[in-house]
């Protein structure tokens, strides 16, 4: 009997550890192999010349760029291929080269993320997220390799060349090892998904295909209205002309961004960000205060009257607001100066003194937006269970204590989410407000000029230079994206329930 038990034990341990330990060692070896694949791919894409030029003389003859003769290299990596396209000014290759550069950046980031997540790999924990990161990295390795091969074929075709551009054989190595890495990660992932009862995408699609069909209209809407128009971003990297069109105009890389940088960018960013921070912080505080005050009104007709009155400024157009501001602040006949002179005080020349305008702009932005914006907070207050207030009244809490200990804490989630949404547009100023109230008054630019008004003047003075306006818009979008991602990360670290994603 003892002999049988020993044999069974030996079978389970295999003479060198338990089955579980052997399985774990096997999984660990597999994950190490995929780790090596990811690391090798990063090194090859960033350090190796994956795009090569075989016949430089034929290329220079087609491009008609004698200035490239001394600086033309026989090979380029995916990170510096843009420098070749920039010096040649060849718009036919520009869009493809930009796409390869973007895919390269994404591929490197995904591989780095996978390498960082690898450190958290464990035998007992859930490793599905790590496997997913590895799969994304392998897929983009393959995609980038195929893109480089396609770029070489495309470049030869559009320039009328024969095998002048060719790709490194190492791309096939990357494709092979990435496919192998993807298959290996899939095999490691399958038992773990079964263990934690987490289906993959295709299994989820098979189970709930009706729900995915219902999503199709929304997906198509965003593809048509949000993602396809993003192709226009390419305007920011070219000197557009109507003869060559969007995809073949001369490629200028970051020249449009350099032009904006030289136009006192720091002042524009400072004004735009500071104004928006004040609008966001004070705006939400006054919206909460307004919503609380309205919710405390017991008379129905008086509540409706107040709601109507505070909503009205929202429907005042900015053109009409300009008329109101001008009639209030103009030096000779303005209502404010007329009042000051009537009580024996001196007149104020508002339109020649920039120091007053931060307060003026903030006041009118709050006056116009607080009433309408308080609707969300009012709805949140009305959604609070009344039993909380009834219990507080039984315990002897007055109105101010109920607001402090019940209303405000329960509005915290709504406040954080709305602030996060607002931060996404922190680099997009209220153009209508600033342009209609300030106009082209150069004396006030130091304190009132924001990114949007600058871009407007820029495009008006250069009406055919779409690149400058697109570059400014792209800078605003990237700035807002980075801001909201960082803010969301900080919020998520503090409390995961308050984060957007």
């Amino acid at each position: 009997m003892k002999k049988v038990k020993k044999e069974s034990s030996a079978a389970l341990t295999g003479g060198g550890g338990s089955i579980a330990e052997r399985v774990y060692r096997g999984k660990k070896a597999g994950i190490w192999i995929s780790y090596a694949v990811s690391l090798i791919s990063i090194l090859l894409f960033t350090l190796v010349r994956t795009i090569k030029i075989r016949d430089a003389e034929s290329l220079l003859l087609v491009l008609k760029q004698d200035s490239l003769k001394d600086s033309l290299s026989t090979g380029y990596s995916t990170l510096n291929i843009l420098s070749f396209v920039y010096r040649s000014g060849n718009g036919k290759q520009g869009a493809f080269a930009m796409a390869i550069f973007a895919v390269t950046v994404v591929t490197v980031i995904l591989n780095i993320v996978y390498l960082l997540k690898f450190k958290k790999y464990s035998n007992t924990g859930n490793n599905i997220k790590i496997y997913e990161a590895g799969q994304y990295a392998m897929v983009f390795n393959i995609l980038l390799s195929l893109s480089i091969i396609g770029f070489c074929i495309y470049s030869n075709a559009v320039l009328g060349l024969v095998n002048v551009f060719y790709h490194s054989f190492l791309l096939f190595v990357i494709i092979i090892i990435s496919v192998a890495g993807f298959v290996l990660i899939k095999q490691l992932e399958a038992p773990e998904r079964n263990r934690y009862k987490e289906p993959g995408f295709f299994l989820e699609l098979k189970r709930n295909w009706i729900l995915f069909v219902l999503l199709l209209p929304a997906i198509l809407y965003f593809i048509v209205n949000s993602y396809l128009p993003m192709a226009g971003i390419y305007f920011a990297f070219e000197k557009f002309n109507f003869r060559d069109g969007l995809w073949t105009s001369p490629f200028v890389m970051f020249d449009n961004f350099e032009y904006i940088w030289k136009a006192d960018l720091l002042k524009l960013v400072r004004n735009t960000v500071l104004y928006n921070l004040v609008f966001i912080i004070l705006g939400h505080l006054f919206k909460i205060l307004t919503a609380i005050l309205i919710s405390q009104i017991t008379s129905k007709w008086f509540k409706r009257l107040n709601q109507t009155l505070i909503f009205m400024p929202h429907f005042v157009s900015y053109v009409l607001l300009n008329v109101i501001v001008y009639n209030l602040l103009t030096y000779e006949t303005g209502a404010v100066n007329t009042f000051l002179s009537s009580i024996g005080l001196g007149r104020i020349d508002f339109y020649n003194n920039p120091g007053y305008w931060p307060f003026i702009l903030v006041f009118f932005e709050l006056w116009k937006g607080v009433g309408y914006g308080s609707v969300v907070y009012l709805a949140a207050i009305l959604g609070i269970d009344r039993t909380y207030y009834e219990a507080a009244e039984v315990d002897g809490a007055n109105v101010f204590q109920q607001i402090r200990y019940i209303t405000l804490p329960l509005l915290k989630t709504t406040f954080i989410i709305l602030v996060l949404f607002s931060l996404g547009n922190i680099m997009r100023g209220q153009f209508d407000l600033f342009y209609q109230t300030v106009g082209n008054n150069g004396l006030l630019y130091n304190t009132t000029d924001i990114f949007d008004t600058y871009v407007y003047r820029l495009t008006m003075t250069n009406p055919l230079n779409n690149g400058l306006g697109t570059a400014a818009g792209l800078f605003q979008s990237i700035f807002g994206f980075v801001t909201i991602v960082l803010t969301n990360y900080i919020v998520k670290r503090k409390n995961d329930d308050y984060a957007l994603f």
Side-chain angles (χ1 to χ4, degrees), residues 48-67:
V48 175
R49 296 178 176 182
T50 53
I51 301 171
K52 298 185 178 181
I53 298 174
R54 182 172 285 144
D55 187 354
E57 295 295 332
S58 299
L59 178 61
L60 291 173
L61 186 63
V62 171
L63 293 176
K64 299 178 181 178
Q65 291 285 348
D66 294 333
S67 59

Side-chain angles (χ1 to χ4, degrees), residues 10 12 71 82 95 114 140 161 178 226 253 275 282 288 397 455 459:
L12 289 171
S71 61
L82 281 175
Y114 178 52
F140 269 82
L161 302 169
S178 296
S226 298
M253 202 154 67
Y275 273 116
L282 289 183
I288 292 172
V455 171
T459 53

Side-chain angles (χ1 to χ4, degrees), residues 196-268:
Y196 291 100
K197 302 292 189 293
E198 290 192 23
F201 173 76
F202 293 104
L203 184 57
E204 188 71 29
L205 178 63
K206 184 178 178 180
R207 288 179 180 177
N208 301 299
W209 65 272
I210 295 178
L211 297 178
F212 283 93
V213 171
L214 292 175
L215 277 175
L216 278 178
I219 294 172
L220 291 173
Y221 172 84
F222 283 108
I223 289 175
V224 173
N225 294 285
S226 298
Y227 292 103
L228 289 180
M230 287 178 69
I233 290 174
Y234 186 56
F235 279 119
F237 304 97
E238 66 175 2
K239 188 175 182 180
F240 176 77
N241 63 75
F242 289 98
R243 180 191 62 202
D244 296 321
L246 173 61
W247 304 114
T248 56
S249 292
F251 182 76
V252 297
M253 202 154 67
F254 300 118
D255 286 1
N256 291 321
F257 294 91
E258 184 180 356
Y259 186 92
I260 295 172
W261 173 261
K262 292 178 179 177
D264 205 355
L265 181 65
L266 295 179
K267 182 192 78 174
L268 297 173

Side-chain angles (χ1 to χ4, degrees), residues 136-147:
Y136 293 141
M138 299 304 153
V139 168
F140 269 82
N141 289 341
I142 299 168
L143 177 63
L144 179 56
S145 301
L146 295 175
S147 299

Side-chain angles (χ1 to χ4, degrees), residues 242-424:
F242 289 98
R243 180 191 62 202
D244 296 321
L246 173 61
W247 304 114
T248 56
S249 292
F251 182 76
V252 297
M253 202 154 67
F254 300 118
D255 286 1
N256 291 321
F257 294 91
E258 184 180 356
Y259 186 92
I260 295 172
W261 173 261
K262 292 178 179 177
D264 205 355
L265 181 65
L266 295 179
K267 182 192 78 174
L268 297 173
V269 172
R270 179 201 68 194
N271 287 349
T272 308
V273 171
L274 289 180
Y275 273 116
N276 276 324
L277 283 176
V278 174
F279 291 161
I280 291 170
I281 295 171
L282 289 183
H284 283 285
L285 290 179
F286 278 100
K287 289 170 187 176
I288 292 172
L289 176 62
T290 303
I292 291 173
L293 292 176
I294 292 176
S295 67
Q296 295 299 318
I297 299 174
T298 56
S299 174
K300 290 185 178 180
W301 71 268
F302 190 62
K303 178 183 288 190
R304 291 174 182 172
L305 176 63
N306 277 274
Q307 285 180 300
T308 302
L309 291 176
I310 63 173
F311 285 2
M312 286 180 65
H314 173 75
F315 300 101
V316 175
S317 70
Y318 283 100
V319 176
L320 183 57
L321 180 64
N322 174 35
V323 176
I324 295 172
V325 173
Y326 182 80
N327 281 281
L328 285 173
L329 304 181
T330 186
Y331 186 79
E332 294 294 338
T333 58
V336 173
N337 280 316
T338 301
F339 172 75
L340 291 175
S341 61
S342 67
I343 59 175
L345 298 177
R347 294 175 179 269
I348 301 174
D349 192 358
F350 289 103
Y351 285 95
N352 286 322
N353 288 287
Y356 294 105
W357 283 90
F359 303 99
I360 295 169
L361 291 168
V362 170
F363 171 79
F364 281 105
E365 172 63 19
L366 296 178
W367 172 77
K368 197 172 187 306
V370 164
Y372 188 80
S374 64
V375 174
V376 177
Y377 289 108
L378 183 59
I381 292 172
L382 295 176
I384 298 174
D385 193 344
R386 300 305 302 174
T387 56
Y388 292 133
Y389 296 101
E390 293 170 1
E393 289 176 0
V394 172
D395 291 337
N398 58 35
V399 173
F400 298 104
Q401 290 172 327
Q402 291 176 28
I403 293 172
R404 179 181 177 183
Y405 295 106
I406 299 175
T407 307
L408 292 179
L410 292 176
L411 286 179
K412 185 177 179 181
T413 304
T414 305
F415 171 76
I416 292 175
I417 291 174
L418 291 178
V419 168
L420 286 175
F421 279 131
S422 301
L423 288 174

Side-chain angles (χ1 to χ4, degrees), residues 26-55:
K27 291 173 68 176
K28 195 74 173 179
I31 204 75
W32 268 108
I33 292 172
S34 63
Y35 179 96
V37 170
S38 187
L39 187 61
I40 291 170
S41 300
I42 291 178
L43 294 176
L44 291 178
F45 280 132
T46 54
L47 301 179
V48 175
R49 296 178 176 182
T50 53
I51 301 171
K52 298 185 178 181
I53 298 174
R54 182 172 285 144
D55 187 354

